[in-house]
């Protein structure tokens, strides 16, 4: 076999193997890249779709969900899209609605797992740590597979054509190159053995001469590269040591900053609790005069009744002593007459009639004082982190008793309590929110007005609505209501923290406060708490 034929066959085989390996590598890379991009696209689309539909799912807005589903189906290659509740109830869907709807939904984690030509992805709709629903998407992979197949076909065609051209070119140039290959082989062997200080004899200006010059340049560059490599290795080793030191130092700095952040967070939490307690104490100070008046009323007539009871007791004791003296006299004839006279003289019939009334009035007064004191104790307790099932209606009633003195002279309070289940909350903090809203409603009413309190349970949520017929607020004031230190009152009448703290308390319970107000028409605050 001639050297030319060997050259043709050898070059053709080498070229074929290299092209095959290159083609398979490129195809595998394209396939993995396409499938990875598909996986990222499906995950991103599902997550974005879940974020887009979260508000509509939380508010049970089926019309918006239908619109969102049809909008997302405009994405190319989407086969289906649907939105489900946490219990699996279907809210909305579009596209191929039969795909995996009646069967158990199986998530595809990689394109290699797909057997039905559709990449199935899902994402949860989460709010406050609770899952309220899921979204499911199906992306067709037909176009991706078709593109990969086309690239593979064209790659084979180009590789085959290139092999033929290389074989033909090798055949034509094989004879010419044979003479120079020996010298290049010898030089290449020396370079392979690490001898870079070598030069191939070059004559002429043809391509072979250019190859020879290029080989000489390559050998020179390899020599420089080898020398540079040794230098770079030394520099890299030094850099690695320096980098380790810098990483350790930076780690210490980050740990110190993290500790500072934790300390700052604890300080902020403590400050927030102090602000809440300060606002609570300010509210108690505002109610102090009214509560004193509420307690003084029953205490006054209890004191008066006790004076009367003391006189009645003295009369009854004297009456009893007189009866004993008459019994001891053993005058059977005159004793009944004298008893009757003595009974009329002491007005025993009136005492017997008036005593139960005085006792009942006194007991009612004591009960009223106990209710006021119990309300104050419930409102001002310091266990601010205690969360347990509580009766919201009872809490509102006790708070209303505390602020009744501020309301009753110019406000008529209308109570409409619905049947509510127990709510897992901190009742003392919720009472503080209610008190702030009632006091603000009272301040918004000039002259005589009305305050309406209504509670309802709607869709696993408790709603507390406090509406007044006061002066109302413009839109620019409503937009700033919950900002800290924002107030429309004078400096000596308000701190601007009441509504801000109330808003924080409700958000801490996973709820929300909604405001509707119109200038001159009054305001309506709605506190929404999850069960």
């Amino acid at each position: 076999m001639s050297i030319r034929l060997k050259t043709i066959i050898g070059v053709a085989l080498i070229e074929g193997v290299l092209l095959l390996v290159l083609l398979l590598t490129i195809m595998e890379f394209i396939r993995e890249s396409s499938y990875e991009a598909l996986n990222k696209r499906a995950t991103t689309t599902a997550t974005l779709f879940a974020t887009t539909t979260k508000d509509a799912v939380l508010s049970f807005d089926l019309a918006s969900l239908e619109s969102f589903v049809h909008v997302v189906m405009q994405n190319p290659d989407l086969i289906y899209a649907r939105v489900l509740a946490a219990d699996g109830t279907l809210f909305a869907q579009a596209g191929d609605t039969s795909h995996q709807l009646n069967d158990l939904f199986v998530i595809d984690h990689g394109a290699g797992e797909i057997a039905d030509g559709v990449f199935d992805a899902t994402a949860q709709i989460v709010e406050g740590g609770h899952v309220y629903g899921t979204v499911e998407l199906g992306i067709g992979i037909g176009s991706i597979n078709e593109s990969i197949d086309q690239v593979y076909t064209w790659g084979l065609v180009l590789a085959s054509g290139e092999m033929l051209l290389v074989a033909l070119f090798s055949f034509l140039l094989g004879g010419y190159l044979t003479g120079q290959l020996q010298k290049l082989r010898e030089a290449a062997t020396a370079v392979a053995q690490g001898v870079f200080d070598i030069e191939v004899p070059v004559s002429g200006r043809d391509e072979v001469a250019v190859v020879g010059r290029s080989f000489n340049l390559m050998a020179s560059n390899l020599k420089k590269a080898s020398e540079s490599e040794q230098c770079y290795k030394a520099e890299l080793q030094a850099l690695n040591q320096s980098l380790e030191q810098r990483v350790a130092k930076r780690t210490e700095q980050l740990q110190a900053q993290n500790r500072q952040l934790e300390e700052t967070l604890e300080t902020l939490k403590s400050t927030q609790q102090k602000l809440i307690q300060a606002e609570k104490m300010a509210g108690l100070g505002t109610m102090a005069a009214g509560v004193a008046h509420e307690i003084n009323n029953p205490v006054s007539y209890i004191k008066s009744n006790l004076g009367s009871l003391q006189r009645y007791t003295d009369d009854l004791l004297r009456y009893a002593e007189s009866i004993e003296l008459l019994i001891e006299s053993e005058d059977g004839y005159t004793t009944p007459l004298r008893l009757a006279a003595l009974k009329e003289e002491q007005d025993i019939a009136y005492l017997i009639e008036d005593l139960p009334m005085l006792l009942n009035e006194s007991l009612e007064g004591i009960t009223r004082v106990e209710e006021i004191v119990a309300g104050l104790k419930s409102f001002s307790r310091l266990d601010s982190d205690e969360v347990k099932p509580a009766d919201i209606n009872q809490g509102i009633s006790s708070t209303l008793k505390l602020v009744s003195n501020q309301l009753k002279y110019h406000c008529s309070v209308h109570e409409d309590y619905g049947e509510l289940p127990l709510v897992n909350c901190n009742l003392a903090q919720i009472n503080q929110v209610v008190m702030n809203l009632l006091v603000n409603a009272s301040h918004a009413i000039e002259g005589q007005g009305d305050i309406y309190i209504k509670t309802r349970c709607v869709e696993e949520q408790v709603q507390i609505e406090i509406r007044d017929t006061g002066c109302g607020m413009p839109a620019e004031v409503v937009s700033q209501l919950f900002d800290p230190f924002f107030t429309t009152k004078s400096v000596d009448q308000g701190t601007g923290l009441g509504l801000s703290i109330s808003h924080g308390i409700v958000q801490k319970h996973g709820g929300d406060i909604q405001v509707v107000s119109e200038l001159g028409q009054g305001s309506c605050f709605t506190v929404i708490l999850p069960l």
Side-chain angles (χ1 to χ4, degrees):
M1 184 180 295
S2 64
I3 295 178
R4 179 179 298 179
L5 183 57
K6 290 180 180 179
T7 302
I8 294 173
I9 295 175
V11 172
L13 289 176
I14 293 173
E15 184 71 10
V17 171
L18 291 176
L19 288 174
L20 181 60
V21 172
L22 180 62
L23 181 61
L24 292 177
T25 302
I26 292 175
M27 290 305 301
E28 184 64 21
F29 176 77
I30 292 175
R31 181 179 290 104
E32 290 180 358
S33 299
S34 300
Y35 287 165
E36 184 178 359
L38 173 64
N39 192 10
K40 290 181 178 179
R41 176 189 173 191
T43 303
T44 302
T45 303
T47 303
L48 182 59
F49 188 36
T51 302
T52 304
T53 58
K54 180 171 70 174
D55 291 339
V57 170
L58 293 178
S59 60
F60 206 70
D61 189 352
L62 298 182
S64 296
L65 290 176
E66 285 290 338
S67 176
F68 290 153
V69 168
H70 286 88
V71 168
V72 80
M73 281 302 299
Q74 296 178 7
N75 289 311
D77 299 331
L78 271 184
I79 304 301
Y80 70 91
R82 65 175 63 97
V83 182
L84 304 172
D87 59 356
T89 303
L90 180 63
F91 282 155
Q93 65 177 351
D96 185 4
T97 58
S98 63
H99 187 80
Q100 289 202 9
L101 181 60
N102 298 323
D103 300 327
L104 180 64
F105 185 83
V106 180
I107 303 173
D108 293 326
H109 299 284
E113 303 174 357
I114 299 175
D116 54 1
V118 179
F119 189 93
D120 303 297
T122 184
Q124 293 182 335
I125 300 173
V126 181
E127 177 66 21
H130 298 283
V131 178
Y132 291 93
T134 56
V135 297
E136 298 176 355
L137 299 173
I139 301 178
I141 66 170
S143 60
I144 295 177
N145 291 333
E146 183 178 352
S147 299
I148 294 174
D149 293 337
Q150 289 179 355
V151 172
Y152 188 77
T153 301
W154 279 104
L156 289 176
V157 171
L158 292 175
S160 300
E162 184 175 357
M163 288 181 62
L164 292 175
L165 291 175
V166 169
L168 179 60
F169 186 75
S170 300
F171 177 78
L172 295 176
L173 297 180
Y176 178 75
L177 295 175
T178 302
Q180 299 294 327
L181 287 177
Q182 182 63 28
K183 296 179 180 179
L184 290 174
R185 184 186 67 81
E186 294 174 355
T189 302
V191 171
Q193 293 175 353
V195 180
F196 302 122
D197 191 9
I198 189 172
E199 185 175 354
V200 178
V202 177
S203 61
R205 296 185 178 181
D206 56 12
E207 288 78 1
V208 176
V210 173
V211 171
R213 294 189 184 93
S214 299
F215 185 87
N216 292 334
L217 180 61
M218 179 192 69
S220 177
N221 290 337
L222 285 175
K223 180 180 179 181
K224 294 178 181 179
S226 178
E227 294 174 351
S228 299
E229 181 183 1
Q230 298 300 325
C231 182
Y232 289 153
K233 285 182 178 179
E235 292 178 356
L236 182 60
Q237 185 176 3
L239 181 62
N240 285 336
Q241 294 177 353
S242 174
L243 183 60
E244 290 176 357
Q245 295 175 356
R246 284 185 289 174
V247 168
K249 183 177 180 181
R250 183 57 178 166
T251 302
E252 292 178 359
Q253 293 176 350
L254 290 176
Q255 290 175 348
Q257 291 176 356
N258 186 43
R259 288 192 295 269
Q260 291 177 356
L261 287 175
E262 290 178 353
E263 293 174 358
T264 303
L265 180 60
E266 291 298 325
T267 303
L268 287 175
K269 289 182 179 178
S270 175
T271 303
Q272 184 185 28
Q273 292 297 329
K274 291 178 180 177
L275 281 175
I276 293 175
Q277 190 62 24
E279 182 65 20
K280 183 184 294 183
M281 292 301 103
L284 286 174
T286 303
M287 294 184 299
V291 170
H293 179 75
E294 290 293 319
I295 293 178
N296 281 336
N297 282 339
V299 167
S300 297
Y301 65 73
I302 289 173
K303 182 178 180 181
S304 175
N305 289 347
L306 288 176
S308 299
L309 287 172
Q310 186 176 14
R311 293 193 301 272
Y312 292 173
T313 302
D314 293 340
D315 293 342
L316 288 174
L317 289 175
R318 286 194 296 271
Y319 180 64
E321 291 175 357
S322 300
I323 291 176
E324 289 182 359
L325 293 174
L326 289 175
I327 292 174
E328 290 175 357
S329 66
E330 297 182 356
D331 186 355
Y333 176 75
T334 60
T335 296
L337 296 177
R338 295 181 64 184
L339 283 175
L342 185 60
K343 182 177 180 180
E344 184 178 355
E345 178 184 349
Q346 299 293 339
D347 202 0
I348 300 302
Y350 174 76
L351 295 181
I352 295 173
E353 179 183 356
D354 198 33
L355 269 173
M357 296 174 60
L358 292 177
L359 289 173
N360 288 335
E361 286 182 356
S362 300
L363 289 174
E364 289 175 0
I366 292 173
T367 301
R368 174 60 179 162
V369 172
E370 287 178 344
E371 291 176 351
I372 294 173
V373 173
L376 280 172
K377 181 179 178 182
S378 173
F379 182 82
S380 61
R381 64 179 56 173
L382 298 177
D383 52 350
S384 59
D385 291 330
E386 182 181 3
V387 175
K388 61 182 180 180
D391 188 344
I392 295 295
N393 288 338
Q394 182 180 0
I396 296 174
S397 297
S398 64
T399 303
L400 189 60
K401 291 175 183 177
L402 294 179
V403 298
S404 62
N405 191 64
Q406 298 185 53
L407 307 179
K408 63 184 181 181
Y409 295 109
H410 70 288
C411 300
S412 296
V413 179
H414 307 272
E415 301 174 66
D416 181 10
Y417 299 134
E419 184 176 351
L420 303 181
L422 296 180
V423 179
N424 198 40
C425 67
N426 185 313
L427 186 59
Q429 293 183 356
I430 299 302
N431 288 346
Q432 182 176 353
V433 173
V434 173
M435 189 209 72
N436 284 335
L437 296 179
L438 288 173
V439 171
N440 287 346
S442 172
H443 292 167
I445 296 175
E446 299 178 357
Q448 293 295 322
D450 296 280
I451 296 178
Y452 298 87
I453 304 174
K454 183 171 71 174
T455 60
R456 292 291 186 269
C457 183
V458 181
E459 297 179 356
E460 300 299 319
Q461 293 178 332
V462 167
Q463 296 183 358
I464 306 171
E465 181 181 295
I466 298 178
R467 180 169 59 89
D468 63 70
T469 59
C471 58
M473 297 173 288
E476 57 270 18
V477 173
V478 173
S479 64
Q480 304 178 72
L481 273 181
F482 301 114
D483 294 343
F485 305 107
F486 174 79
T487 179
T488 58
K489 303 174 184 177
S490 60
V491 176
D492 58 341
Q493 290 184 337
T495 63
L497 289 174
L499 286 178
S500 175
I501 291 176
S502 298
H503 188 259
I505 290 173
V506 175
Q507 282 192 329
K508 182 180 178 181
H509 284 77
D512 191 20
I513 298 182
Q514 299 176 356
V515 185
V516 177
S517 183
E518 184 177 350
L519 195 61
Q521 301 297 321
S523 304
C524 180
F525 287 77
T526 303
V527 178
I528 301 174
L529 297 173
L531 293 182

